Amino acid sequence: MRIGIYGGSFDPPHIGHAEAARAAAAALKLDKLILVPAALPPHKELSAEGAGAEDRLAMTGIMADVLGRNVEVDRLELDRAGKSYTADTLREMKARYPGDELWLLMGSDMLFSLQNWREPEVILSLAAVAAFAREEEDDLREMKAHAGKLSETYGARVEVIPLPVHPCSSTQVRRELKEGKRPQGLLDPVYGYILRHGLYGTNADLKHLSDEKLRACSLSMVYAKRHAHILGVEETAVKLAQRWGADPQAARRAGILHDCTKYLSLKEHLDICKRAGIVPDEMEAGSAKLLHSKTGAALAQMVYGESDEVYWAIYWHTTGRADMGLLEKIVYLADYMEPNRDFEGVEELRRLCDTDLDAALQMGLEMSVADLEARGVPIHKNTQGALDWVREHRKGT
Ligand code: DGI
Ligand code: FE
Ligand code: FE
């Protein structure tokens, strides 16, 4: 395997890091890329207004998840006492991956000082080096000459990887955040994490967030594979609200937040329920899948200050219930047939959503029950209650 190791302060990680990681993975044909946030970088001070180690680790983890399944974050430097020397990190990595090829990724400025790091001969014997060059800013000739010198002195293998110029740095991102701006250099979910934790002087009032900020917060709470779905539910819920006369803004907020607790553990769900005064029934108490709609609603209200209407639309989005309200139906159906959903019958369901909302609801519930039965999953009484109710209700109209 070829494994890239990319260390840094990541305070915070930004799209410059993300692009460098992507470029290195492609140029070196890496099988795996490990991002390593430094505890105490030996070469510079962490910013006094910077984030703590655990927050930098979490944000770097979010970026790793966005970058894809071959990218991971590792806390080994955070768990080691004292300064984060690369030689120590590489020794640990080599012990972990004895038969694999290690590549150490770094910026061009780092390449020029490499011979002054602690134990450069150890570093360069354990790993090959890939140095990023900013196409317009860095002198490629000078970099290649220096790489040649390192090869001669240490027998090092050094590659230079050209990057498109990107005016982005953690210092600039921190400054913009402090000024209340939305830095272009931040991935949405990293921005959301920063807002939720009030890092870098953002001090956002989570109970009165703009749609853009609320969306970033929600995306920061779930894995990247769910991002497109959440955006799809938001967009679809707004359209259905416009079509059927519900409040589009409430539909938007509910769509944005509906799955925000999707990846919490059962214990975390139960803790939130306790805090929110929600008493799960027996089936719910053992099922994170059933609880995520309740806890999503709870956080929408307790953390983000959303209205009762938004609360209940999220609360019922997984099972439905007898006597569903308009926004509840809309979020339930948007969740079912947003543009990323693909199953037999989805086109018919979308058509019904535009012509007969209750017929669509019946179809959704029937498909859901059939699917659960086929998989041997017990039907929750509210799912059954919703189906019985919509059948009866449509007969009467
Ligand atoms: O969160 P999403 O994946 O977007 O969709 P969702 O909120 O409808 O959740 C789907 C999950 O919920 C799926 O894994 C099955 C589960 N679920 C939905 N209705 C029932 C149910 N599980 C049980 N046991 N009984 C139900 O009636
Ligand atoms: Fe859901
Ligand atoms: Fe969903």
Side-chain angles (χ1 to χ4, degrees), residues 82 143 175 261 277 290:
M143 282 182 75
R175 187 180 338 110
T261 58
L290 285 172

Side-chain angles (χ1 to χ4, degrees), residues 226 229 233 258-259 262-263 283 287-293 314 316-320 332 335-336 338 341 368-369 371-372 375 377-384:
R226 190 158 287 267
H229 168 67
V233 173
H258 82 284
D259 273 343
K262 188 74 184 179
Y263 298 109
M283 194 192 288
S287 166
K289 284 192 171 129
L290 285 172
L291 284 176
H292 85 277
S293 49
I314 298 174
W316 295 115
H317 89 263
T318 299
T319 59
Y332 182 90
D335 190 29
Y336 221 116
E338 56 88 13
R341 296 283 198 204
S368 183
V369 166
D371 178 60
L372 293 166
R375 291 191 286 130
V377 179
I379 312 297
H380 189 270
K381 64 179 190 296
N382 289 326
T383 307
Q384 193 61 54

Side-chain angles (χ1 to χ4, degrees), residues 87-109:
D88 295 333
T89 300
L90 287 179
R91 271 193 276 260
E92 263 188 85
M93 288 292 184
K94 196 69 199 173
R96 215 191 283 172
Y97 302 105
D100 297 306
E101 194 176 312
L102 302 183
W103 282 82
L104 183 64
L105 315 186
M106 63 182 68
S108 58
D109 47 333

Side-chain angles (χ1 to χ4, degrees), residues 39-102:
L40 287 171
H43 57 281
K44 63 176 180 189
E45 297 283 307
L46 283 171
S47 160
E49 291 171 343
E54 293 302 322
D55 282 326
R56 291 185 293 109
L57 177 77
M59 292 187 284
T60 309
I62 289 173
M63 187 173 80
D65 177 45
V66 169
L67 284 169
R69 63 189 171 79
N70 298 329
V71 185
E72 53 193 61
V73 65
D74 201 292
R75 58 176 299 131
L76 81 170
E77 291 196 352
L78 304 185
D79 292 337
R80 210 162 57 212
K83 293 203 165 194
S84 305
Y85 291 110
T86 301
D88 295 333
T89 300
L90 287 179
R91 271 193 276 260
E92 263 188 85
M93 288 292 184
K94 196 69 199 173
R96 215 191 283 172
Y97 302 105
D100 297 306
E101 194 176 312
L102 302 183

Side-chain angles (χ1 to χ4, degrees), residues 2-46:
R2 291 185 139 205
I3 303 173
I5 296 165
Y6 188 8
S9 310
F10 297 116
D11 192 17
H14 53 68
I15 58 177
H17 297 123
E19 282 178 5
R22 281 201 193 98
L28 303 171
K29 301 196 170 55
L30 297 177
D31 300 292
K32 188 204 275 289
L33 174 60
I34 306 176
L35 307 177
V36 183
L40 287 171
H43 57 281
K44 63 176 180 189
E45 297 283 307
L46 283 171

Side-chain angles (χ1 to χ4, degrees), residues 353-368:
C353 279
D354 190 50
T355 55
D356 186 338
L357 203 61
D358 286 337
L361 184 62
Q362 182 175 335
M363 182 180 171
L365 286 161
E366 278 171 352
M367 281 194 301
S368 183

